[in-house]
Amino acid sequence: DAGVTQSPTHLIKTRGQQVTLRCSPKSGHDTVSWYQQALGQGPQFIFQYYEEEERQRGNFPDRFSGHQFPNYSSELNVNALLLGDSALYLCASTWTSGYTGELFFGEGSRLTVL
Amino acid sequence: GNSVTQMEGPVTLSEEAFLTINCTYTATGYPSLFWYVQYPGEGLQLLLKATKADDKGSNKGFEATYRKETTSFHLEKGSVQVSDSAVYFCALSETGANNLFFGTGTRLTVIP
């Protein structure tokens, strides 16, 4: 049983560019959340997708957007990249109807903005 | 608003030493509390949780008790091992929500 998988593992972009990160949730999970983890900090909630819609959103600008597909996989898009967007981006999955309080995290996509 | 404050690290202990990592929180209502751990090269994983006041979460020899009166959820282990070396995050979620608010993390290094 594959856990949460994310791609790419690492990527480098320059300021002003756009990036797309991808996530496949753990088998059986229908809810995907994205977190940003800056160096030396704890993860910060960006948003959550359920039934292909954004259900909750943290305190992030509109440059951050996402999508969930019918197979529950998800993308995170960041436009007009800033140096401060350099971070580890984590995807977490769970299933809403059977939520027990545990989120399952991928290993993350490390984005460097130059 | 919701926030979590963890003791700053890094923490370095000898094998078999006693571990305490302090965590306090601010939240509206009655949150659930969690400790997540990030081992080198791995994703975050749940270590233990408590969903109401006075609950004790435990796993792998680690324990934490939900203290509403002191708004705390300190992590303890009686005898740490080298394999416990990792970054530990305290987190909370609001009642009925499944997004997490994390502390800044505490890096633990256990030396033989």
Side-chain angles (χ1 to χ4, degrees):
Chain A
D1 177 24
V4 178
T5 58
Q6 294 187 240
S7 64
T9 307
H10 296 83
L11 69 167
I12 300 173
K13 294 285 187 178
T14 56
R15 280 179 297 175
Q17 285 189 312
Q18 179 263 347
V19 68
T20 297
L21 308 177
R22 296 176 177 82
C23 171
S24 292
K26 184 177 168 64
S27 178
H29 287 184
D30 59 7
T31 304
V32 173
S33 301
W34 287 92
Y35 289 79
Q36 180 194 65
Q37 186 177 8
L39 197 62
Q41 301 296 315
Q44 283 195 291
F45 175 69
I46 302 174
F47 43 53
Q48 182 182 89
Y49 277 84
Y50 172 66
E51 293 188 333
E52 302 180 50
E53 293 194 356
E54 183 182 293
R55 183 162 68 171
Q56 297 180 71
R57 189 179 183 92
N59 188 25
F60 278 80
D62 292 345
R63 298 186 297 109
F64 290 77
S65 63
H67 190 75
Q68 186 179 35
F69 299 94
N71 66 352
Y72 307 119
S73 66
S74 177
E75 288 182 350
L76 164 67
N77 301 292
V78 187
N79 294 322
L81 284 167
L82 304 174
L83 295 179
D85 295 331
S86 295
L88 181 68
Y89 288 86
L90 299 171
C91 174
S93 73
T94 188
W95 63 106
T96 291
S97 60
Y99 182 61
T100 59
E102 181 173 8
L103 296 182
F104 292 78
F105 285 83
E107 293 185 34
S109 294
R110 184 165 297 282
L111 170 65
T112 301
V113 182
L114 302 177
Chain B
N2 298 306
S3 67
V4 175
T5 302
Q6 281 183 244
M7 66 181 283
E8 292 189 13
V11 175
T12 302
L13 295 173
S14 297
E15 209 165 19
E16 299 183 3
F18 183 85
L19 169 72
T20 300
I21 301 178
N22 290 338
C23 171
T24 58
Y25 68 90
T26 302
T28 54
Y30 303 96
S32 295
L33 301 175
F34 306 85
W35 278 98
Y36 275 77
V37 59
Q38 193 169 39
Y39 297 105
E42 298 184 20
L44 275 167
Q45 56 188 271
L46 179 66
L47 180 60
L48 54 84
K49 67 179 182 182
T51 57
K52 61 183 187 296
D54 300 325
D55 268 2
K56 177 185 284 188
S58 61
N59 186 25
K60 299 182 181 180
F62 291 88
E63 293 183 341
T65 301
Y66 189 141
R67 301 287 189 199
K68 186 172 182 295
E69 63 276 13
T70 55
T71 62
S72 66
F73 193 55
H74 305 321
L75 182 68
E76 296 182 337
K77 187 175 186 182
S79 176
V80 294
Q81 305 301 312
V82 172
S83 57
D84 294 327
S85 297
V87 183
Y88 293 82
F89 292 91
C90 185
L92 70 82
S93 67
E94 296 175 327
T95 304
N98 57 19
N99 59 302
L100 296 171
F101 295 86
F102 284 90
T104 55
T106 302
R107 180 176 297 277
L108 169 67
T109 301
V110 180
I111 55 177

